[in-house]
Amino acid sequence: MGHISSIQLSPHSYAVVKELRDSLRTEAKKKDSLLMEVLKRDSITRSVTDTLRTPAIDSLSNISDSIPLPKNLLNPTQRVLGDTLLASQDSTKGMNLDAPVNFESTDSIVIYPGENFVRMFGKASVKFKQQTLQGDYMHMKTDSGTVYSTYIDYPDSLKKEKIYAKIQDGEQNYEAKSITYNFNSQRGYITDVITKQGEGYITAGKTKRMENEDMFMEGGKYSTCDNHSHPHFYIALTKAKVRPEKNLVSGPIYLVFADVPIPFIFLPFAFFPFTQSQTSGIIPPKYGDELDRGFYLRDGGYYFSINDYVDLQLTGDIYTKGSWGLNAQSTYNKRYAFRGGFNASYLVTVRGDKAAGDYAKSTDFRIAWNHSQDPKANPYRTLSANVNFSTSSYNHNNLNGLYNQAILGENTKSSSVAFTQRFPNSPFSISGSIDITQRSRDSAIAITAPNLSISMSRIFPFKRKKVVGKERWYEKISVSYSGQLRNFIDTKENKILKSNLIKDWRNGFNHSIPISASFDLFNYFKISPSFNYTERWYTSKIEQAYDAAQGKVVPTDTIYGFNRVYDYNTSLSLSTTVYGFWQPLPFIPFLGKWVSMIRHRIDPSISLSYRPDFGDPSYGYWRRLSYITPK
């Protein structure tokens, strides 16, 4: 059993009631004209107007002049009455609803005792569960749960805003000139409805709303124009069914531009899907003819909407003379984290005829990848990629680039993937990249994979964690480290997969460890010793010998395996700073008058450095050879 939860009545409402009662007692003939002027509008029917007359006045006439206004209504803000007007429960008699009905109005509410009828004037609203109806004028039959809402067409002289009827059911919103809705059956009849579906607006002269939220329309319009009440262009829908947030199915449609129908743009039926999210579906292929490969179907396949972050598109190409291709394309995006896209293609191209002797078959592929990371995603790690790798003949065989001079004339392609990693509360950091450079002209390819750098910022290994007293001399010793790993090859495309990592690739690992310190000597001098150690690791070494015929040292053999070489150097510097002041003599023209003192500074320093001769045979890098010059 439903019930009325609250009634709102303003002091202005009592004044309107008193004025209506006195006017009708003295001038009965002006009763209809006065009410009709207040409720003048196009959408209120004759039956509604007739119902509005005598019963309301008879009920209002029972209010005595001696009844004072309650004190809580003297405030101009709205107040909620108790049981003053609800002494009789006839207003909810026969009401068969499973939840309370709340209604309110900014002007006045008139209840008809015993008739299960309520009228609301001004900006009114009725709420039942998740359903809300609004309008400038509303009336409700509480026994059947039927609500009628409309707007009042005030004269222009009053300068009052037209408040159209609105209905809100969950996330669905409709605006119309009039709405008749039943809370029990959840069905309604709407005139001149306006609703937004997908990227456009739907309007209709007559609409029937069903309990499952489907709407049957007659005389509808669908347009993406912002002026949806009078669009500049639209698709006229003779009869249509709308499933909110799903689709629209219509009978015969035609295009209207600037209120002028265009008869030759006509369809016997139409289907418009509405969706708020991505959906999977079939991608129809393109058809055509290519001189060397014959008739084709291209770019046909299926689109997979995997989730809100990533999708996948698989398409294929097929030609009547034997050529075919496969394509996979994916985009991904996660807000405040990363975004990018991936594209892979495999193409088999067949040209000519075996019988004619000009048969040729080639296989090409392409991989494209772009990736960027949001700066706020991770302050210690970054990853970026810009990959455009393909075989040298791909652009000449790909139909998309065959007639594009910019793509066809592309001779050099480069790809790069880079990353950095810093470790919190640690002096170590790592950065690296993979770089590829291609030349389509001669199918040359140069790859550096990886190009890795490891570094350690300067640390003081002997410094005490808890300093007590003066800083000791060994606490000023600092150490840092940097290392570079590089693996490189320069070859042809057809040899890259056959190359040997040890014999064909050139690789090495370089280590550098600088050690330094700074001390004060006699409070006036600064002494700074330093020591630098460098070591290199290689997977091969070259044996050389002197060639008397050529008169120079030439390579004789390559030995593969782990090899290491090193070198070091040391230095010592001594520096100080000398300051001096000189006051110009007064008799020196201009200088003595305008300059009171001249300050000068001298920074003398001396340094020594030492590096051994690593060409000495004792280090094992070089050896002395004895030979006899032929006579």
PDB file of all heavy atoms in Angstrom, residues 289-310:
ATOM      1  N   ASP A 289      40.421  -4.206 -58.219  1.00  0.00           N
ATOM      2  CA  ASP A 289      41.254  -4.900 -59.204  1.00  0.00           C
ATOM      3  C   ASP A 289      42.624  -4.239 -59.223  1.00  0.00           C
ATOM      4  O   ASP A 289      42.739  -3.007 -59.202  1.00  0.00           O
ATOM      5  CB  ASP A 289      40.599  -4.821 -60.583  1.00  0.00           C
ATOM      6  CG  ASP A 289      41.417  -5.563 -61.644  1.00  0.00           C
ATOM      7  OD1 ASP A 289      42.214  -6.423 -61.254  1.00  0.00           O
ATOM      8  OD2 ASP A 289      41.248  -5.253 -62.836  1.00  0.00           O
ATOM      9  N   GLU A 290      43.672  -5.067 -59.225  1.00  0.00           N
ATOM     10  CA  GLU A 290      45.049  -4.578 -59.287  1.00  0.00           C
ATOM     11  C   GLU A 290      45.723  -5.241 -60.476  1.00  0.00           C
ATOM     12  O   GLU A 290      45.536  -6.440 -60.721  1.00  0.00           O
ATOM     13  CB  GLU A 290      45.783  -4.913 -57.994  1.00  0.00           C
ATOM     14  CG  GLU A 290      46.930  -3.953 -57.685  1.00  0.00           C
ATOM     15  CD  GLU A 290      48.240  -4.459 -58.270  1.00  0.00           C
ATOM     16  OE1 GLU A 290      48.458  -5.679 -58.245  1.00  0.00           O
ATOM     17  OE2 GLU A 290      49.039  -3.628 -58.747  1.00  0.00           O
ATOM     18  N   LEU A 291      46.498  -4.476 -61.232  1.00  0.00           N
ATOM     19  CA  LEU A 291      46.995  -4.926 -62.531  1.00  0.00           C
ATOM     20  C   LEU A 291      47.792  -6.215 -62.430  1.00  0.00           C
ATOM     21  O   LEU A 291      47.562  -7.161 -63.181  1.00  0.00           O
ATOM     22  CB  LEU A 291      47.852  -3.816 -63.157  1.00  0.00           C
ATOM     23  CG  LEU A 291      48.424  -4.115 -64.548  1.00  0.00           C
ATOM     24  CD1 LEU A 291      47.290  -4.329 -65.547  1.00  0.00           C
ATOM     25  CD2 LEU A 291      49.348  -2.982 -64.988  1.00  0.00           C
ATOM     26  N   ASP A 292      48.756  -6.298 -61.497  1.00  0.00           N
ATOM     27  CA  ASP A 292      49.646  -7.457 -61.422  1.00  0.00           C
ATOM     28  C   ASP A 292      49.052  -8.622 -60.639  1.00  0.00           C
ATOM     29  O   ASP A 292      49.363  -9.779 -60.914  1.00  0.00           O
ATOM     30  CB  ASP A 292      50.981  -7.058 -60.785  1.00  0.00           C
ATOM     31  CG  ASP A 292      51.770  -6.116 -61.680  1.00  0.00           C
ATOM     32  OD1 ASP A 292      51.537  -6.135 -62.902  1.00  0.00           O
ATOM     33  OD2 ASP A 292      52.609  -5.365 -61.140  1.00  0.00           O
ATOM     34  N   ARG A 293      48.185  -8.332 -59.668  1.00  0.00           N
ATOM     35  CA  ARG A 293      47.727  -9.392 -58.770  1.00  0.00           C
ATOM     36  C   ARG A 293      46.281  -9.802 -58.976  1.00  0.00           C
ATOM     37  O   ARG A 293      45.815 -10.747 -58.375  1.00  0.00           O
ATOM     38  CB  ARG A 293      47.937  -8.944 -57.317  1.00  0.00           C
ATOM     39  CG  ARG A 293      49.381  -9.040 -56.889  1.00  0.00           C
ATOM     40  CD  ARG A 293      49.647  -8.347 -55.584  1.00  0.00           C
ATOM     41  NE  ARG A 293      49.920  -6.929 -55.762  1.00  0.00           N
ATOM     42  CZ  ARG A 293      50.504  -6.151 -54.852  1.00  0.00           C
ATOM     43  NH1 ARG A 293      50.857  -6.675 -53.692  1.00  0.00           N
ATOM     44  NH2 ARG A 293      50.720  -4.877 -55.107  1.00  0.00           N
ATOM     45  N   GLY A 294      45.539  -9.104 -59.840  1.00  0.00           N
ATOM     46  CA  GLY A 294      44.177  -9.500 -60.167  1.00  0.00           C
ATOM     47  C   GLY A 294      43.147  -8.891 -59.237  1.00  0.00           C
ATOM     48  O   GLY A 294      43.407  -7.930 -58.510  1.00  0.00           O
ATOM     49  N   PHE A 295      41.944  -9.470 -59.265  1.00  0.00           N
ATOM     50  CA  PHE A 295      40.866  -9.003 -58.396  1.00  0.00           C
ATOM     51  C   PHE A 295      41.197  -9.347 -56.936  1.00  0.00           C
ATOM     52  O   PHE A 295      41.853 -10.362 -56.658  1.00  0.00           O
ATOM     53  CB  PHE A 295      39.534  -9.640 -58.792  1.00  0.00           C
ATOM     54  CG  PHE A 295      39.053  -9.220 -60.158  1.00  0.00           C
ATOM     55  CD1 PHE A 295      39.274 -10.038 -61.262  1.00  0.00           C
ATOM     56  CD2 PHE A 295      38.409  -8.012 -60.341  1.00  0.00           C
ATOM     57  CE1 PHE A 295      38.851  -9.662 -62.521  1.00  0.00           C
ATOM     58  CE2 PHE A 295      37.979  -7.621 -61.591  1.00  0.00           C
ATOM     59  CZ  PHE A 295      38.204  -8.442 -62.692  1.00  0.00           C
ATOM     60  N   TYR A 296      40.666  -8.515 -56.034  1.00  0.00           N
ATOM     61  CA  TYR A 296      41.021  -8.725 -54.631  1.00  0.00           C
ATOM     62  C   TYR A 296      39.873  -8.379 -53.695  1.00  0.00           C
ATOM     63  O   TYR A 296      38.937  -7.651 -54.042  1.00  0.00           O
ATOM     64  CB  TYR A 296      42.245  -7.886 -54.250  1.00  0.00           C
ATOM     65  CG  TYR A 296      42.042  -6.386 -54.355  1.00  0.00           C
ATOM     66  CD1 TYR A 296      41.329  -5.674 -53.399  1.00  0.00           C
ATOM     67  CD2 TYR A 296      42.591  -5.673 -55.431  1.00  0.00           C
ATOM     68  CE1 TYR A 296      41.160  -4.299 -53.500  1.00  0.00           C
ATOM     69  CE2 TYR A 296      42.428  -4.297 -55.539  1.00  0.00           C
ATOM     70  CZ  TYR A 296      41.712  -3.619 -54.570  1.00  0.00           C
ATOM     71  OH  TYR A 296      41.537  -2.266 -54.665  1.00  0.00           O
ATOM     72  N   LEU A 297      39.971  -8.957 -52.515  1.00  0.00           N
ATOM     73  CA  LEU A 297      39.189  -8.567 -51.334  1.00  0.00           C
ATOM     74  C   LEU A 297      40.208  -8.208 -50.263  1.00  0.00           C
ATOM     75  O   LEU A 297      41.037  -9.039 -49.881  1.00  0.00           O
ATOM     76  CB  LEU A 297      38.287  -9.708 -50.861  1.00  0.00           C
ATOM     77  CG  LEU A 297      37.133 -10.102 -51.777  1.00  0.00           C
ATOM     78  CD1 LEU A 297      36.411 -11.324 -51.221  1.00  0.00           C
ATOM     79  CD2 LEU A 297      36.143  -8.943 -51.936  1.00  0.00           C
ATOM     80  N   ARG A 298      40.137  -6.963 -49.776  1.00  0.00           N
ATOM     81  CA  ARG A 298      41.160  -6.473 -48.850  1.00  0.00           C
ATOM     82  C   ARG A 298      40.531  -5.931 -47.579  1.00  0.00           C
ATOM     83  O   ARG A 298      39.394  -5.458 -47.570  1.00  0.00           O
ATOM     84  CB  ARG A 298      41.995  -5.357 -49.498  1.00  0.00           C
ATOM     85  CG  ARG A 298      42.813  -5.782 -50.685  1.00  0.00           C
ATOM     86  CD  ARG A 298      43.621  -4.634 -51.256  1.00  0.00           C
ATOM     87  NE  ARG A 298      44.499  -4.044 -50.254  1.00  0.00           N
ATOM     88  CZ  ARG A 298      44.352  -2.812 -49.771  1.00  0.00           C
ATOM     89  NH1 ARG A 298      43.369  -2.040 -50.196  1.00  0.00           N
ATOM     90  NH2 ARG A 298      45.189  -2.348 -48.870  1.00  0.00           N
ATOM     91  N   ASP A 299      41.319  -5.997 -46.514  1.00  0.00           N
ATOM     92  CA  ASP A 299      40.990  -5.388 -45.223  1.00  0.00           C
ATOM     93  C   ASP A 299      39.670  -5.903 -44.663  1.00  0.00           C
ATOM     94  O   ASP A 299      38.921  -5.173 -44.010  1.00  0.00           O
ATOM     95  CB  ASP A 299      40.936  -3.862 -45.331  1.00  0.00           C
ATOM     96  CG  ASP A 299      42.264  -3.272 -45.768  1.00  0.00           C
ATOM     97  OD1 ASP A 299      43.297  -3.887 -45.460  1.00  0.00           O
ATOM     98  OD2 ASP A 299      42.261  -2.201 -46.407  1.00  0.00           O
ATOM     99  N   GLY A 300      39.377  -7.159 -44.906  1.00  0.00           N
ATOM    100  CA  GLY A 300      38.195  -7.783 -44.308  1.00  0.00           C
ATOM    101  C   GLY A 300      38.605  -8.695 -43.171  1.00  0.00           C
ATOM    102  O   GLY A 300      39.636  -9.373 -43.227  1.00  0.00           O
ATOM    103  N   GLY A 301      37.813  -8.722 -42.104  1.00  0.00           N
ATOM    104  CA  GLY A 301      38.162  -9.561 -40.963  1.00  0.00           C
ATOM    105  C   GLY A 301      37.220  -9.357 -39.798  1.00  0.00           C
ATOM    106  O   GLY A 301      36.003  -9.219 -39.980  1.00  0.00           O
ATOM    107  N   TYR A 302      37.792  -9.281 -38.614  1.00  0.00           N
ATOM    108  CA  TYR A 302      36.977  -9.203 -37.395  1.00  0.00           C
ATOM    109  C   TYR A 302      37.657  -8.276 -36.402  1.00  0.00           C
ATOM    110  O   TYR A 302      38.888  -8.247 -36.294  1.00  0.00           O
ATOM    111  CB  TYR A 302      36.807 -10.586 -36.769  1.00  0.00           C
ATOM    112  CG  TYR A 302      35.646 -10.672 -35.807  1.00  0.00           C
ATOM    113  CD1 TYR A 302      34.357 -10.902 -36.272  1.00  0.00           C
ATOM    114  CD2 TYR A 302      35.836 -10.507 -34.434  1.00  0.00           C
ATOM    115  CE1 TYR A 302      33.283 -10.982 -35.406  1.00  0.00           C
ATOM    116  CE2 TYR A 302      34.765 -10.578 -33.557  1.00  0.00           C
ATOM    117  CZ  TYR A 302      33.491 -10.806 -34.045  1.00  0.00           C
ATOM    118  OH  TYR A 302      32.434 -10.872 -33.190  1.00  0.00           O
ATOM    119  N   TYR A 303      36.819  -7.509 -35.690  1.00  0.00           N
ATOM    120  CA  TYR A 303      37.306  -6.590 -34.659  1.00  0.00           C
ATOM    121  C   TYR A 303      36.919  -7.150 -33.292  1.00  0.00           C
ATOM    122  O   TYR A 303      35.748  -7.452 -33.041  1.00  0.00           O
ATOM    123  CB  TYR A 303      36.701  -5.198 -34.845  1.00  0.00           C
ATOM    124  CG  TYR A 303      37.053  -4.230 -33.744  1.00  0.00           C
ATOM    125  CD1 TYR A 303      38.271  -3.564 -33.751  1.00  0.00           C
ATOM    126  CD2 TYR A 303      36.179  -4.001 -32.701  1.00  0.00           C
ATOM    127  CE1 TYR A 303      38.598  -2.682 -32.739  1.00  0.00           C
ATOM    128  CE2 TYR A 303      36.498  -3.119 -31.676  1.00  0.00           C
ATOM    129  CZ  TYR A 303      37.709  -2.465 -31.704  1.00  0.00           C
ATOM    130  OH  TYR A 303      38.027  -1.599 -30.688  1.00  0.00           O
ATOM    131  N   PHE A 304      37.918  -7.292 -32.401  1.00  0.00           N
ATOM    132  CA  PHE A 304      37.701  -7.812 -31.062  1.00  0.00           C
ATOM    133  C   PHE A 304      37.806  -6.667 -30.055  1.00  0.00           C
ATOM    134  O   PHE A 304      38.865  -6.026 -29.947  1.00  0.00           O
ATOM    135  CB  PHE A 304      38.740  -8.886 -30.711  1.00  0.00           C
ATOM    136  CG  PHE A 304      38.692 -10.087 -31.599  1.00  0.00           C
ATOM    137  CD1 PHE A 304      39.450 -10.140 -32.765  1.00  0.00           C
ATOM    138  CD2 PHE A 304      37.894 -11.174 -31.274  1.00  0.00           C
ATOM    139  CE1 PHE A 304      39.422 -11.246 -33.585  1.00  0.00           C
ATOM    140  CE2 PHE A 304      37.856 -12.288 -32.093  1.00  0.00           C
ATOM    141  CZ  PHE A 304      38.614 -12.334 -33.255  1.00  0.00           C
ATOM    142  N   SER A 305      36.731  -6.424 -29.348  1.00  0.00           N
ATOM    143  CA  SER A 305      36.767  -5.467 -28.241  1.00  0.00           C
ATOM    144  C   SER A 305      37.079  -6.254 -26.974  1.00  0.00           C
ATOM    145  O   SER A 305      36.190  -6.769 -26.294  1.00  0.00           O
ATOM    146  CB  SER A 305      35.427  -4.729 -28.113  1.00  0.00           C
ATOM    147  OG  SER A 305      35.447  -3.837 -27.031  1.00  0.00           O
ATOM    148  N   ILE A 306      38.364  -6.353 -26.658  1.00  0.00           N
ATOM    149  CA  ILE A 306      38.788  -7.232 -25.567  1.00  0.00           C
ATOM    150  C   ILE A 306      38.340  -6.679 -24.223  1.00  0.00           C
ATOM    151  O   ILE A 306      37.690  -7.351 -23.429  1.00  0.00           O
ATOM    152  CB  ILE A 306      40.312  -7.436 -25.619  1.00  0.00           C
ATOM    153  CG1 ILE A 306      40.689  -8.069 -26.975  1.00  0.00           C
ATOM    154  CG2 ILE A 306      40.787  -8.293 -24.462  1.00  0.00           C
ATOM    155  CD1 ILE A 306      42.177  -8.209 -27.198  1.00  0.00           C
ATOM    156  N   ASN A 307      38.691  -5.437 -23.931  1.00  0.00           N
ATOM    157  CA  ASN A 307      38.240  -4.781 -22.704  1.00  0.00           C
ATOM    158  C   ASN A 307      38.369  -3.275 -22.900  1.00  0.00           C
ATOM    159  O   ASN A 307      38.557  -2.796 -24.023  1.00  0.00           O
ATOM    160  CB  ASN A 307      39.025  -5.269 -21.476  1.00  0.00           C
ATOM    161  CG  ASN A 307      40.526  -5.162 -21.654  1.00  0.00           C
ATOM    162  OD1 ASN A 307      41.038  -4.181 -22.187  1.00  0.00           O
ATOM    163  ND2 ASN A 307      41.258  -6.187 -21.234  1.00  0.00           N
ATOM    164  N   ASP A 308      38.265  -2.532 -21.807  1.00  0.00           N
ATOM    165  CA  ASP A 308      38.315  -1.074 -21.894  1.00  0.00           C
ATOM    166  C   ASP A 308      39.711  -0.548 -22.184  1.00  0.00           C
ATOM    167  O   ASP A 308      39.867   0.652 -22.447  1.00  0.00           O
ATOM    168  CB  ASP A 308      37.808  -0.445 -20.591  1.00  0.00           C
ATOM    169  CG  ASP A 308      36.328  -0.702 -20.380  1.00  0.00           C
ATOM    170  OD1 ASP A 308      35.641  -0.968 -21.378  1.00  0.00           O
ATOM    171  OD2 ASP A 308      35.861  -0.655 -19.222  1.00  0.00           O
ATOM    172  N   TYR A 309      40.732  -1.408 -22.136  1.00  0.00           N
ATOM    173  CA  TYR A 309      42.108  -0.944 -22.278  1.00  0.00           C
ATOM    174  C   TYR A 309      42.766  -1.356 -23.597  1.00  0.00           C
ATOM    175  O   TYR A 309      43.704  -0.703 -24.043  1.00  0.00           O
ATOM    176  CB  TYR A 309      42.965  -1.465 -21.116  1.00  0.00           C
ATOM    177  CG  TYR A 309      42.414  -1.137 -19.758  1.00  0.00           C
ATOM    178  CD1 TYR A 309      41.806  -2.109 -18.976  1.00  0.00           C
ATOM    179  CD2 TYR A 309      42.482   0.159 -19.249  1.00  0.00           C
ATOM    180  CE1 TYR A 309      41.292  -1.804 -17.723  1.00  0.00           C
ATOM    181  CE2 TYR A 309      41.974   0.476 -18.008  1.00  0.00           C
ATOM    182  CZ  TYR A 309      41.379  -0.514 -17.247  1.00  0.00           C
ATOM    183  OH  TYR A 309      40.868  -0.207 -16.024  1.00  0.00           O
ATOM    184  N   VAL A 310      42.310  -2.437 -24.196  1.00  0.00           N
ATOM    185  CA  VAL A 310      43.000  -2.951 -25.383  1.00  0.00           C
ATOM    186  C   VAL A 310      41.976  -3.540 -26.347  1.00  0.00           C
ATOM    187  O   VAL A 310      40.919  -4.042 -25.931  1.00  0.00           O
ATOM    188  CB  VAL A 310      44.046  -4.020 -24.976  1.00  0.00           C
ATOM    189  CG1 VAL A 310      43.384  -5.213 -24.316  1.00  0.00           C
ATOM    190  CG2 VAL A 310      44.868  -4.468 -26.174  1.00  0.00           C
TER     191      VAL A 310
END
